[in-house]
Amino acid sequence: MKITFFFRKRKSGYNSIEEVFNTIIPIIGSSHQTNRITAPCQSTILGVIPNWLYTFWRRADIIHITGDAHYLGLFSKSPLVITVHDLASIFRSKSILNTFKKWLWVNGPLKRAAQVVAISENTRNEISQMLPEVDHKTTVIPNPISSLFKFSPKKSMNETPIILHIGTATHKNLVKVINAIADQKVELIILGMLSSPQKQLLDETFMAYQNFSGLTYEEVYQLYLKADIISFPSEYEGFGMPIIE
């Protein structure tokens, strides 16, 4: 059986969706023929049509859309599986554009799919709330953990405790973390691109910090090993990989 995996255009460095399937695909490939297709453009409204044209003629016994590019399956002529990681962007926005995006990312592709995979019960509930008619073909399969991660007990704390904060999007709560520890003798390592207001707040609080983005998964793992404390007070997650990592 030939299984083709469709990926979004990857940003540089660590991306959780790609790392999840980097763990899965070699296992599937031991018994089936696998192929990877990456969309040429970012998953924005302007990138939809070029990505459609690039993937439309691809054929396989099964096409598996791995996430954040569900619209690629709207006109697929092969049996389709879609993995849904979360629907945060759909739920958060109430604009007219969001109605169009809801059809592109949820209603159209998920109705077309032979099977829908949700990575958590939370994501399954989101799908059911938005599109209850696909409940019968939705299965929860939790994300795997990369074999790179090994249990590593902390032998001693750094003299100045190092806090590793994962993510800089609004729902990752970085601003509240900065305010909470502003008068503490700690070093903050932030994983993700900082916005101008976040940088300004860090400067105003004289926080000792380092900022990293575009890292490889190995480099992210090394930051975990270096840290004394992991900061992940997220307001929303489809799954929340850092909890396991």
Side-chain angles (χ1 to χ4, degrees):
M1 179 180 292
K2 180 180 179 180
I3 305 172
T4 295
F5 295 87
F6 281 179
F7 285 87
R8 63 184 177 177
K9 180 177 174 60
R10 179 183 179 126
K11 296 179 182 178
S12 61
Y14 166 72
N15 287 274
S16 58
I17 292 174
E18 286 74 15
E19 295 303 338
V20 163
F21 282 91
N22 284 342
T23 302
I24 296 171
I25 291 175
I27 298 170
I28 296 174
S30 66
S31 55
H32 300 286
Q33 181 184 352
T34 61
N35 185 33
R36 300 170 64 114
I37 301 293
T38 300
C41 302
Q42 299 287 342
S43 288
T44 63
I45 296 300
L46 294 178
V48 166
I49 292 178
N51 287 342
W52 263 336
L53 295 174
Y54 184 76
T55 58
F56 180 74
W57 299 106
R58 311 288 176 163
R59 298 287 182 268
D61 296 312
I62 295 175
I63 285 178
H64 188 149
I65 297 176
T66 58
D68 198 38
H70 306 161
Y71 59 88
L72 293 177
L74 275 172
F75 305 110
S76 172
K77 298 186 182 299
S78 300
L80 183 66
V81 176
I82 297 178
T83 290
V84 181
H85 294 262
D86 65 64
L87 297 175
S89 62
I90 306 294
F91 275 100
R92 282 201 296 263
S93 175
K94 304 298 181 184
S95 65
I96 295 175
L97 181 61
N98 193 61
T99 302
F100 178 59
K101 187 176 180 181
K102 180 182 174 183
W103 181 82
L104 278 179
W105 261 262
V106 185
N107 293 34
L110 268 57
K111 287 179 180 179
R112 166 70 184 82
Q115 290 291 318
V116 177
V117 176
I119 62 167
S120 66
E121 289 293 343
N122 180 57
T123 297
R124 179 174 184 162
N125 291 338
E126 287 182 340
I127 296 169
S128 181
Q129 181 179 342
M130 193 172 292
L131 204 65
E133 55 264 47
V134 303
D135 282 354
H136 68 284
K137 59 181 181 180
T138 302
T139 303
V140 175
I141 302 178
N143 283 336
I145 187 72
S146 169
S147 59
L148 176 68
F149 281 82
K150 308 292 184 183
F151 176 63
S152 178
K154 193 72 177 178
K155 295 180 180 179
S156 62
M157 297 279 284
N158 290 291
E159 183 176 348
T160 299
I162 295 174
I163 300 174
L164 174 62
H165 182 87
I166 312 291
T168 56
T170 303
H171 65 282
K172 303 294 187 179
N173 263 330
L174 175 60
V175 168
K176 290 181 181 178
V177 169
I178 295 169
N179 287 325
I181 64 174
D183 59 349
Q184 303 297 314
K185 185 183 177 183
V186 296
E187 179 182 354
L188 183 62
I189 297 180
I190 303 165
L191 184 58
M193 295 185 66
L194 291 169
S195 67
S196 294
Q198 288 168 341
K199 290 180 182 177
Q200 182 178 349
L201 179 60
L202 286 162
D203 292 339
E204 290 174 351
T205 57
F206 301 101
M207 176 71 64
Y209 76 96
Q210 297 182 64
N211 177 225
F212 298 96
S213 62
L215 300 182
T216 65
Y217 211 35
E218 171 65 35
E219 290 169 329
V220 172
Y221 176 62
Q222 292 303 319
L223 289 181
Y224 273 110
L225 295 179
K226 183 179 181 180
D228 298 298
I229 299 169
I230 306 301
S231 170
F232 192 62
S234 177
E235 295 177 340
Y236 172 92
E237 291 296 322
F239 188 86
M241 286 300 291
I243 300 299
I244 296 178
E245 293 170 346

Coordinates of all heavy atoms in Angstrom, one line a residue, residues 162-169 172-175 177-178 181 187-195 198-203 205 207-215 220 223 226-227 229 231:
I162 N 17.4 28.4 36.1 CA 17.0 28.6 34.7 C 15.6 28.2 34.4 O 15.3 27.0 34.7 CB 18.0 27.9 33.7 CG1 19.4 28.5 33.9 CG2 17.5 28.0 32.3 CD1 20.5 27.8 33.1
I163 N 14.8 29.1 34.0 CA 13.4 28.8 33.6 C 13.3 28.7 32.1 O 13.6 29.7 31.4 CB 12.4 29.8 34.2 CG1 12.5 29.8 35.7 CG2 11.0 29.5 33.8 CD1 11.7 30.9 36.4
L164 N 12.8 27.6 31.5 CA 12.6 27.5 30.1 C 11.1 27.7 29.8 O 10.3 26.9 30.3 CB 13.0 26.2 29.6 CG 12.7 25.8 28.1 CD1 13.4 26.8 27.2 CD2 13.1 24.4 27.8
H165 N 10.8 28.8 29.1 CA 9.4 29.1 28.7 C 9.1 28.7 27.3 O 9.8 29.1 26.4 CB 9.1 30.5 28.9 CG 7.6 30.9 28.7 ND1 6.6 30.8 29.6 CD2 7.0 31.3 27.5 CE1 5.5 31.1 29.1 NE2 5.7 31.4 27.8
I166 N 8.1 27.8 27.1 CA 7.9 27.3 25.7 C 6.8 28.1 25.1 O 5.6 28.1 25.5 CB 7.4 25.8 25.8 CG1 8.4 25.0 26.7 CG2 7.3 25.2 24.4 CD1 9.7 24.8 26.1
G167 N 7.1 28.8 24.0 CA 6.1 29.5 23.2 C 5.9 31.0 23.5 O 6.0 31.4 24.7
T168 N 5.6 31.8 22.5 CA 5.5 33.2 22.7 C 4.1 33.7 22.2 O 3.9 34.9 22.3 CB 6.6 34.0 21.9 OG1 6.6 33.6 20.6 CG2 8.0 33.7 22.6
A169 N 3.3 32.9 21.6 CA 1.9 33.3 21.2 C 1.2 33.8 22.5 O 1.5 33.4 23.6 CB 1.2 32.2 20.5
K172 N 0.2 31.5 25.3 CA 1.3 30.9 26.0 C 1.6 31.7 27.3 O 2.4 31.2 28.1 CB 2.5 30.8 25.2 CG 2.3 30.0 23.9 CD 2.0 28.5 24.1 CE 2.0 27.8 22.8 NZ 1.7 26.3 22.9
N173 N 1.0 32.9 27.5 CA 1.1 33.6 28.8 C 2.5 34.1 29.1 O 2.8 34.2 30.3 CB 0.5 32.7 29.9 CG -0.9 33.0 30.2 OD1 -1.4 34.2 30.0 ND2 -1.7 32.1 30.6
L174 N 3.3 34.4 28.2 CA 4.7 34.9 28.5 C 4.7 36.1 29.3 O 5.4 36.3 30.2 CB 5.5 35.0 27.2 CG 6.9 35.6 27.4 CD1 7.7 34.8 28.3 CD2 7.5 35.8 26.0
V175 N 3.8 37.1 29.0 CA 3.8 38.4 29.6 C 3.5 38.2 31.1 O 4.1 38.8 32.0 CB 2.7 39.3 29.0 CG1 2.4 40.5 29.9 CG2 3.1 39.7 27.6
V177 N 4.1 35.5 32.9 CA 5.3 34.9 33.5 C 6.4 35.9 33.8 O 7.0 35.9 34.9 CB 5.9 33.8 32.5 CG1 7.2 33.3 33.0 CG2 4.9 32.6 32.5
I178 N 6.6 36.8 32.8 CA 7.6 37.9 33.0 C 7.3 38.7 34.3 O 8.1 39.0 35.1 CB 7.8 38.8 31.8 CG1 8.3 37.9 30.6 CG2 8.7 40.0 32.1 CD1 8.2 38.7 29.3
I181 N 7.8 36.9 37.7 CA 9.2 36.6 38.2 C 10.2 37.8 38.0 O 11.4 37.6 38.2 CB 9.8 35.4 37.4 CG1 10.0 35.7 35.9 CG2 8.9 34.1 37.6 CD1 10.6 34.6 35.1
E187 N 17.1 33.2 35.5 CA 17.4 33.5 34.1 C 16.2 32.8 33.3 O 15.9 31.6 33.5 CB 18.7 32.9 33.7 CG 19.0 33.1 32.2 CD 20.3 32.5 31.7 OE1 21.0 32.0 32.6 OE2 20.6 32.6 30.5
L188 N 15.6 33.6 32.4 CA 14.5 33.1 31.6 C 15.0 32.8 30.2 O 15.6 33.6 29.5 CB 13.4 34.1 31.5 CG 12.1 33.8 30.8 CD1 11.4 32.6 31.5 CD2 11.2 35.0 30.7
I189 N 14.8 31.5 29.7 CA 15.1 31.1 28.4 C 13.7 31.0 27.7 O 12.9 30.3 28.1 CB 15.9 29.8 28.3 CG1 17.2 30.0 28.9 CG2 16.0 29.4 26.8 CD1 18.1 28.7 28.9
I190 N 13.6 31.8 26.6 CA 12.3 31.8 25.9 C 12.4 31.2 24.5 O 13.3 31.5 23.7 CB 11.8 33.3 25.7 CG1 11.7 34.0 27.1 CG2 10.5 33.3 25.0 CD1 11.7 35.5 27.0
L191 N 11.6 30.2 24.2 CA 11.6 29.5 23.0 C 10.5 30.0 22.1 O 9.3 29.8 22.4 CB 11.5 28.0 23.2 CG 11.6 27.1 22.0 CD1 12.9 27.2 21.3 CD2 11.4 25.6 22.4
G192 N 10.8 30.7 21.0 CA 9.9 31.3 20.1 C 10.2 32.7 19.8 O 10.9 33.4 20.6
M193 N 9.7 33.3 18.7 CA 10.0 34.6 18.3 C 9.2 35.6 19.2 O 8.0 35.5 19.4 CB 9.6 34.8 16.8 CG 10.4 34.0 15.9 SD 10.0 34.4 14.1 CE 10.6 36.1 14.0
L194 N 10.0 36.6 19.7 CA 9.4 37.6 20.6 C 8.7 38.8 19.8 O 9.3 39.2 18.7 CB 10.5 38.2 21.5 CG 11.1 37.3 22.6 CD1 12.3 37.9 23.2 CD2 10.0 37.0 23.6
S195 N 7.6 39.3 20.3 CA 7.0 40.5 19.7 C 7.7 41.7 20.3 O 8.4 41.6 21.3 CB 5.5 40.5 20.0 OG 5.3 40.7 21.4
Q198 N 6.7 42.3 23.9 CA 7.4 41.4 24.8 C 8.8 41.8 25.1 O 9.3 41.7 26.2 CB 7.3 39.9 24.2 CG 5.9 39.3 24.3 CD 5.8 38.1 23.4 OE1 6.6 37.8 22.5 NE2 4.7 37.3 23.7
K199 N 9.5 42.2 24.0 CA 10.9 42.6 24.2 C 11.0 43.9 25.0 O 11.8 44.0 25.9 CB 11.5 42.9 22.8 CG 11.8 41.7 21.9 CD 12.4 42.1 20.6 CE 12.6 41.0 19.7 NZ 13.1 41.4 18.3
Q200 N 10.0 44.8 24.8 CA 10.0 46.0 25.6 C 9.8 45.7 27.1 O 10.5 46.3 28.0 CB 8.9 46.9 25.1 CG 8.8 48.3 25.9 CD 7.7 49.2 25.3 OE1 7.2 48.9 24.3 NE2 7.4 50.2 26.0
L201 N 8.9 44.8 27.4 CA 8.6 44.4 28.8 C 9.8 43.8 29.4 O 10.2 44.0 30.6 CB 7.4 43.4 28.9 CG 7.0 42.9 30.3 CD1 6.7 44.1 31.2 CD2 5.9 41.9 30.2
L202 N 10.5 42.9 28.7 CA 11.7 42.3 29.2 C 12.8 43.3 29.5 O 13.5 43.2 30.6 CB 12.3 41.3 28.2 CG 11.5 40.0 28.1 CD1 11.9 39.2 26.8 CD2 11.8 39.0 29.3
D203 N 12.9 44.3 28.7 CA 13.9 45.4 28.9 C 13.5 46.2 30.1 O 14.4 46.6 30.9 CB 14.0 46.3 27.6 CG 14.7 45.5 26.5 OD1 15.4 44.5 26.7 OD2 14.4 45.9 25.3
T205 N 11.8 45.4 32.7 CA 12.0 44.7 34.0 C 13.4 44.2 34.3 O 13.7 43.6 35.3 CB 11.1 43.4 34.0 OG1 11.4 42.6 32.9 CG2 9.6 43.8 33.9
M207 N 15.0 41.9 33.0 CA 15.1 40.5 33.2 C 16.3 39.9 32.5 O 16.7 40.3 31.4 CB 13.8 39.9 32.5 CG 13.7 38.4 32.5 SD 13.4 37.7 34.1 CE 11.8 38.4 34.4
A208 N 17.0 39.0 33.1 CA 18.1 38.2 32.5 C 17.4 37.1 31.7 O 16.7 36.2 32.2 CB 19.0 37.6 33.6
Y209 N 17.6 37.2 30.4 CA 16.9 36.2 29.5 C 17.8 35.9 28.3 O 18.6 36.7 27.9 CB 15.5 36.7 29.1 CG 15.5 37.8 28.0 CD1 15.3 37.5 26.7 CD2 15.7 39.2 28.3 CE1 15.3 38.4 25.7 CE2 15.7 40.1 27.4 CZ 15.5 39.8 26.0 OH 15.5 40.7 25.0
Q210 N 17.4 34.8 27.7 CA 17.9 34.4 26.3 C 16.7 34.1 25.5 O 15.7 33.6 26.0 CB 18.9 33.2 26.4 CG 20.1 33.5 27.2 CD 21.0 32.2 27.1 OE1 21.5 31.8 26.1 NE2 21.2 31.6 28.3
N211 N 16.8 34.3 24.2 CA 15.7 34.0 23.3 C 16.2 33.2 22.1 O 17.2 33.5 21.5 CB 15.0 35.3 22.8 CG 13.9 35.1 21.8 OD1 13.8 35.8 20.8 ND2 13.0 34.2 22.1
F212 N 15.5 32.1 21.8 CA 15.8 31.2 20.7 C 14.6 31.0 19.8 O 13.5 30.8 20.3 CB 16.4 29.9 21.2 CG 17.6 30.0 22.1 CD1 17.5 30.1 23.4 CD2 18.9 30.1 21.5 CE1 18.7 30.2 24.2 CE2 20.0 30.2 22.2 CZ 19.9 30.2 23.6
S213 N 14.8 30.9 18.5 CA 13.8 30.4 17.6 C 14.5 29.8 16.4 O 15.7 29.9 16.2 CB 13.0 31.6 17.1 OG 13.8 32.6 16.4
G214 N 13.8 29.0 15.6 CA 14.4 28.3 14.5 C 15.3 27.2 14.9 O 16.3 26.9 14.1
L215 N 15.1 26.6 16.1 CA 16.1 25.6 16.5 C 15.7 24.2 15.9 O 14.5 23.9 15.6 CB 16.0 25.5 18.0 CG 16.4 26.7 18.8 CD1 16.4 26.4 20.3 CD2 17.8 27.2 18.4
V220 N 16.4 21.9 20.9 CA 15.3 22.1 21.8 C 15.5 21.1 23.0 O 15.3 21.5 24.2 CB 13.9 21.9 21.2 CG1 12.8 21.8 22.3 CG2 13.6 22.9 20.2
L223 N 18.0 22.4 25.5 CA 17.4 23.4 26.3 C 16.6 22.8 27.5 O 16.7 23.3 28.6 CB 16.5 24.4 25.6 CG 17.2 25.3 24.6 CD1 16.2 26.2 23.9 CD2 18.3 26.1 25.3
K226 N 19.1 21.7 30.0 CA 19.8 22.8 30.7 C 18.9 23.4 31.8 O 19.4 23.9 32.8 CB 20.1 23.8 29.7 CG 20.9 25.0 30.2 CD 21.3 26.0 29.0 CE 22.0 27.2 29.6 NZ 22.4 28.1 28.4
A227 N 17.6 23.4 31.6 CA 16.7 24.1 32.5 C 16.5 23.5 33.8 O 16.6 22.2 34.0 CB 15.3 24.3 31.8
I229 N 13.6 24.6 35.6 CA 12.1 24.7 35.6 C 11.6 24.9 34.2 O 12.1 25.6 33.4 CB 11.6 25.9 36.5 CG1 12.1 25.7 37.9 CG2 10.1 26.0 36.5 CD1 12.0 27.0 38.7
S231 N 8.4 26.2 32.1 CA 7.3 27.1 32.2 C 6.3 26.9 31.0 O 6.7 27.1 29.8 CB 7.7 28.6 32.2 OG 6.6 29.5 32.1

